Every structure is written in C-alpha cells, then in structure tokens.
Amino acid sequence: MKLTVIGAGSTYTPEVIDGLAQLGDELTLDELWLHDTDAGRLEVVGGLAGRMLARAGHPARLSLSTRLDDAVEGVDCVLVQIRVGGQAARAVDEALPVRCGCVGQETTGFGGLAKALRTVPVVLDIADRVRERSPGAWIVDFTNPVGIVTRALLDAGHRAIGLCNAAVVFQRHFASVLDVDPARLELDHLGLNHLTWEVGVRLDGVPVLDRLVGEHVERVARATGLSPELVGALGTVPSYYLHYFYGHDQVVRAQRRERSRAEIVAEVEAELLRLYADEELDSKPALLEQRGGAGYSQAAVALVAGLLGSRPGRHVVNVRNHSTLPFLDGRAVVEVPAWVEDGRVMPVPLPLPGALERGLIAHVAAYEELALDAALRGGRARVFRALLAHPLVGQAALADELADLMIDANRGFLAWA
C-alpha cells in the first residue's frame, strides 16, 4: 500500500509518523511519500520522519518529493494538510477582524472564510491530480476549514472524507477526568467542523454525560473555554470553538490585549524545525504538543486503516449529511461518528440535538454553503454575502468593511481579485 502526505513540510507530520509507528501492525504500508512545495522544510521534516520510522523498525520505504505527480502516482490514500499562505496569512486573518471588533481566529468567522478562499481551489487542483494518477484513491482532508474543504471535494466527485482531532481530544480529557482508559469511552459528537457538542458519552456502554457536566463539571469545562456554570446549564459539552460564539465580546477584548495565536504558533514552529534538524532526534519532541493537533496521529492512521479495510472501527469524521441531522440539507457536510470499514463510511444513529444546538448549526451551515460558493466562483458580492451570513459578523456595514479588507489582503492568492 502507498500512502502520501501532501503538505508534509508541516510540523504536524511527525504526529502522522508517530501514529504509523504505533499502529504499524494494523496498517500494511509498503511506501510512504512525503510531498511539499517547500524543499527545505520537506528535507528537515522528512529527515526526522526517516529516523522515527527506523527507530520503530517500520518496513515502509520513505520517499520525499516536491513533484506532486510522483507523490500521488499509484497511491491508495492521500492525507492533505496544507496551509496556503503559511503562518503569515494566518497572522493577517487573525489581526484584521479584531481591529473591527470581531473574533480573530483562523477557522472561525472572518479567518475561516479567508482561509477557504485561498485553500479550496488549491485542494481541488491537488485532488484532480490524484484522480488522474490514481483513480479510486481516498483523500483524507485535515486542511482547514475541514467542513468546507471536504464539501468542495465531495461536490467535485472525489472519494474524500474530512478529519478533525476535536473528538479525540475530548475523549482523552474525559478519560483523564474519570481515570479510565480512553478506549472505554464512546462519544456522541455532532455538529459541523469546529462547531460541535458532545451530546452523549458512554463508559463501557453506560451513560456518563450527566456525571461529566455534574460532579466533574469544573474539570470538564476547562477544555471548553467556558465557565463551569454555563457548561452545567447547557447539559452538553461544547467544543472549544463555541466559546467564540457564547463569549464573543469577552474574547475580542482579550485578543486586543494579548499576543495572537498566530504569533505564538510561528515561534513554536521555528523552534520545532530547529529541533527536527537535529540528526540525533528520532522521536517527536514534547514541544509538538503546544502546536496543537493532539491525537491527530492515531486518528489519521486508524481512519486510513479503516478505509483500506484492515481495521474497521468507529471514527468521528466529516461526511455528507444525507439524513444524519434531519434539519440540515442532505448535501451539507457534518462532523459525526461513523462506522468505517473496507471503503464504506456509515454514520451511526445519533440523538437529535436540542433547539439551541440546532439553531446555531443551521445558521453556520448556511454560511458554509455561501462560503464555498465564494471560494469556487469568487467575487466581492459573494464574499460579502458569506460574511453577512456568519453569526460572528452578521451586520451589513461590518460585512461590507471586512469584505474589502479580506480581498485586499488576499489578492496574491485569489485568481479573480
């Protein structure tokens, strides 16, 4: 089997390698190709990847390439984890909306739309090359905004699925709170990418959500960015991204005082690359935990093993809605648990979320539809409409101002601007 990582110069890549090392017996891998357009970063990250595989005694043959056609020729599965514009574009995405009184975050609100505009056309080009060189290959998207990018891939007829680590993070957090093995916990995780709630949690099949939002709410709430009082009142566990919605003004005030996440990540990445270049290093450094993406390693590799038939299992993924959340358009992409086995992805039955969750999910799903339209067809009017539709913007004068700022800042990435 051949697996290719696109955007392998990312500092996330050692997470994937670590997952391959840990789950090597469950995924028969003959070839691992790492591709990136930045040859320097690819060499540094690829060097560490080779040492990690050697340490684990993994038999896969490792190849590094800046040529996409070579990397995807005859491939069985492709992981896409690119960042168009790099951390410099992210810094702009986070800074501009804060100046205007809106949350500055790379995948939510203004930042999410800017990233979609830059990213969707590039990912679709990559997917077309994969289809030409390897018809039938799976494309696993870890590139944000995952929901919008995954829908673009599915609408274009690609064999694609989206992946986020949010559910794995909660599973591990709940396991720590309850002092149990994470594998004993099963989550009813639902919503849209970066807009999800845990509406059910079971330990060995026994419901424990009431305990988590009751006696353990102080510890559980720490992973949400919200107060224990609010989490207890909701009776569900919202993802961390919900605090941008439920505490918008407070977040903006904090962002005006503090360093941006983009600045912090840029420093962490620089230090990680310095560490990766050390030829004595043959394992992922502890600093990688500060980069984010915890749990990506096992989640990605286990999902690939399920897709290719060697490890059936339940995974939280981004897939077509169909009728999973019946209040949404069937063409929408939702983030829900699914049983994955031998190329089949089957969403599992879920409890219907309450009116509070349904309302926000439907609102953001409408924005995502408009955001994809803007990313595919361009034009200021479409950018304005998407911003106006987003609940973190939602005002005509503000959407008008932000549309001009977004287009001006991204002209180098937008063929239509």
Side-chain angles (χ1 to χ4, degrees):
M1 188 193 85
K2 177 177 176 179
L3 173 68
T4 295
V5 180
I6 305 294
S10 167
T11 53
Y12 278 133
T13 298
E15 282 281 355
V16 180
I17 306 303
D18 185 61
L20 290 171
Q22 293 186 41
L23 299 175
D25 293 340
E26 301 180 28
L27 183 64
T28 304
L29 185 63
D30 303 304
E31 295 183 61
L32 174 63
W33 283 67
L34 303 183
H35 170 274
D36 203 283
T37 56
D38 186 326
R41 285 185 65 133
L42 181 62
E43 181 179 0
V44 170
V45 178
L48 174 58
R51 295 190 295 274
M52 290 176 69
L53 291 173
R55 179 186 181 185
H58 198 287
R61 182 170 67 256
L62 178 66
S63 299
L64 313 182
S65 180
T66 58
R67 284 178 46 83
L68 182 59
D69 286 349
D70 292 343
V72 301
E73 181 74 40
V75 74
D76 296 283
C77 187
V78 175
L79 294 179
V80 182
Q81 53 176 41
I82 66 172
R83 181 181 292 276
V84 180
Q87 294 296 337
R90 174 183 182 167
V92 174
D93 292 346
E94 293 184 0
L96 290 180
V98 174
R99 282 171 26 195
C100 299
C102 291
V103 163
Q105 209 283 325
E106 65 163 332
T107 62
T108 300
F110 177 97
L113 179 58
K115 194 165 190 179
L117 296 179
R118 294 192 301 268
T119 305
V120 166
V122 176
V123 172
L124 288 178
D125 284 346
I126 291 170
D128 285 344
R129 301 274 284 282
V130 173
R131 183 156 52 192
E132 290 170 5
R133 297 285 175 166
S134 304
W138 274 101
I139 298 174
V140 177
D141 179 65
F142 193 66
T143 296
N144 283 316
V146 168
I148 295 172
V149 173
T150 301
R151 177 158 180 179
L153 288 165
L154 292 172
D155 285 356
H158 296 288
R159 199 180 192 197
I161 191 168
L163 178 65
C164 183
N165 66 322
V168 175
V169 170
F170 267 134
Q171 184 185 37
R172 291 180 173 184
H173 181 55
F174 296 159
S176 175
V177 168
L178 297 171
D179 192 24
V180 299
D181 184 337
R184 295 173 59 193
L185 290 172
E186 187 173 84
L187 277 55
D188 288 334
H189 171 108
L190 60 79
L192 309 175
N193 179 242
H194 289 184
L195 192 86
T196 53
W197 292 259
E198 309 307 327
V199 299
V201 182
R202 289 171 295 282
L203 173 61
D204 297 331
V206 178
V208 292
L209 179 61
D210 286 349
R211 288 174 57 193
L212 291 169
V213 298
E215 61 187 282
H216 298 297
V217 71
E218 292 280 347
R219 291 182 63 189
V220 167
R222 293 173 196 165
T224 69
L226 299 168
S227 70
E229 294 76 18
L230 179 54
V231 173
L234 291 172
T236 61
V237 184
S239 78
Y240 181 80
Y241 291 88
L242 266 299
H243 93 284
Y244 296 118
F245 294 80
Y246 294 158
H248 177 275
D249 293 354
Q250 181 181 356
V251 170
V252 172
R253 286 194 294 270
Q255 289 183 334
R256 284 175 165 166
R257 296 191 307 267
E258 300 166 359
R259 298 175 68 208
S260 72
R261 175 66 179 161
E263 293 176 287
I264 295 169
V265 167
E267 291 180 1
V268 170
E269 284 208 331
E271 178 61 15
L272 283 172
L273 289 170
R274 188 189 69 77
L275 293 173
Y276 292 176
D278 180 358
E279 295 187 358
E280 298 299 314
L281 183 68
D282 59 3
S283 61
K284 66 177 185 179
L287 181 64
L288 185 53
E289 294 180 9
Q290 297 183 29
R291 175 63 186 86
Y296 174 39
S297 53
Q298 288 85 0
V301 176
L303 175 59
V304 172
L307 291 171
L308 299 180
S310 58
R311 189 178 189 257
R314 192 178 192 266
H315 303 268
V316 172
V317 288
N318 284 257
V319 293
R320 281 277 196 222
N321 178 46
H322 297 303
S323 60
T324 305
L325 300 182
F327 56 93
L328 289 185
D329 189 307
R331 296 168 297 174
V333 165
V334 294
E335 186 168 292
V336 295
W339 185 260
V340 180
E341 181 175 5
D342 197 17
R344 293 175 296 158
V345 180
M346 298 158 283
V348 303
L350 291 169
L352 188 67
L356 180 69
E357 295 83 13
R358 291 199 308 271
L360 189 51
I361 291 170
H363 194 160
V364 176
Y367 149 76
E368 290 194 345
E369 184 175 335
L370 293 168
L372 180 56
D373 186 46
L376 292 173
R377 300 168 65 196
R380 185 190 183 282
R382 294 187 180 90
V383 173
F384 168 78
R385 284 169 60 81
L387 286 166
L388 186 61
H390 200 290
L392 295 184
V393 180
Q395 301 175 68
L398 185 56
D400 202 49
E401 180 181 9
L402 290 173
D404 287 334
L405 290 173
M406 184 180 295
I407 292 168
D408 286 345
N410 288 280
R411 288 190 186 279
F413 302 101
L414 307 178
W416 51 268

